[in-house]
Each structure stands twice: as structure tokens, then as C-alpha cells.
Amino acid sequence: RPSSRLRQESRQESHMSSEEGEEVTPAPSSEKFDGKVVAGAAAVGGVAAFVLAGPLVGLAAAGGAAYAATRNDEVGAAAKSTGKAALAIGDKAREINEEHKISDKVAEGAKNSLAWAHDMNERHDVSGKVTAGITAAGNWITDKLGGEQKK
């Protein structure tokens, strides 16, 4: 009978086998789904993999960590714990920033650095000299290859 077979297959899919061969049903989660925790886990997994292996692996790891944080087993618990830690770090960073105005100081420093660089360029024609050097190098290569030079 199709309906009894579907029920039996469904029951089989909801059980996992332990190493000893006995069937184990995952414990239901008492923790409700928290998108912020999933996002925190994804951020940590993605950034770590990005630093170690590059952007594509980082993206894949972020997705894997986000999925792991939705699971109701030990892997899910570890991913959720990582996500909660990331949220706590973010909250603390926000608190420290508000107290010490770090982002304002960084923005002011960047603004001052850009102003200094602009001033140096105006006084010493740095961009003009770099452009002339690149043009000269390109002309030298072109000359060695027997092509027509740019002026």
C-alpha cells in the first residue's frame, strides 16, 4: 500500500544510525530559529575560509556554516554557539565604538590622510611623475618589441 510505505520511509528518514548500528532519533530543539545567530555563524565561517582559502571557498563556507546553524544536533549547536559569540563580539564592539568614538576617529584620520596625499600631489606632481614613468616604461617595452611608441 502506497500510504503505509510513505509513512515507513518517512520514519526511516527521521532516524539516524549510531556507530553501534542502533537507530537514534534527533532530539527536538527547544531553541527557536534565530536569523541573527545563523548570520553570525555564516559570517565567522565565511571570513575564516576567505582568509585561509580565498573568496569562493569563503562564500561556500559561509553557506555551510549558515546551514549548520539550522541543524538540531552537535554540529548545529557548535555553529549556533559560534554565531552567538560573533553577535556578542559585535555588540561589544558597537558598545566600545559608541563610548570611544573609534569610527569617528578613523574617519577623521582617513580624511586627513587623503587631504595630505592631495596636498603632496599638488606640490610635487606625484601622479604626473608616476604617469610619465609608466609611459616611459611602456615606450621602452614597445621599442624593444619593435612597435610604435606613444607620446
Side-chain angles (χ1 to χ4, degrees), residues 19-45:
E19 289 181 16
E20 293 85 35
E22 61 191 45
E23 288 189 4
V24 178
T25 303
S29 176
S30 60
E31 205 173 321
K32 77 174 201 171
F33 178 81
D34 186 349
K36 288 182 179 180
V37 171
V38 172
V44 170

Side-chain angles (χ1 to χ4, degrees), residues 76-94:
K80 287 174 192 160
S81 179
T82 301
K84 287 176 186 175
L87 288 175
I89 290 168
D91 290 343
K92 187 64 176 175
R94 197 170 11 268

Side-chain angles (χ1 to χ4, degrees), residues 18 61 73 79 101 106 121 142-143:
S18 70
D73 57 7
K101 308 288 186 224
V106 168
N121 188 51
T142 302
D143 182 51

Side-chain angles (χ1 to χ4, degrees), residues 82-145:
T82 301
K84 287 176 186 175
L87 288 175
I89 290 168
D91 290 343
K92 187 64 176 175
R94 197 170 11 268
E95 179 185 314
I96 291 170
N97 182 50
E98 288 172 6
E99 182 179 336
H100 298 286
K101 308 288 186 224
I102 295 169
S103 61
D104 294 340
K105 291 174 183 174
V106 168
E108 184 65 26
K111 183 176 145 186
N112 291 340
S113 295
L114 287 172
W116 176 84
H118 179 70
D119 182 52
M120 287 295 291
N121 188 51
E122 290 294 313
R123 285 192 285 149
H124 301 288
D125 189 30
V126 175
S127 61
K129 291 175 182 173
V130 168
T131 302
I134 291 171
T135 302
N139 285 338
W140 181 84
I141 292 170
T142 302
D143 182 51
K144 295 301 178 195
L145 296 174

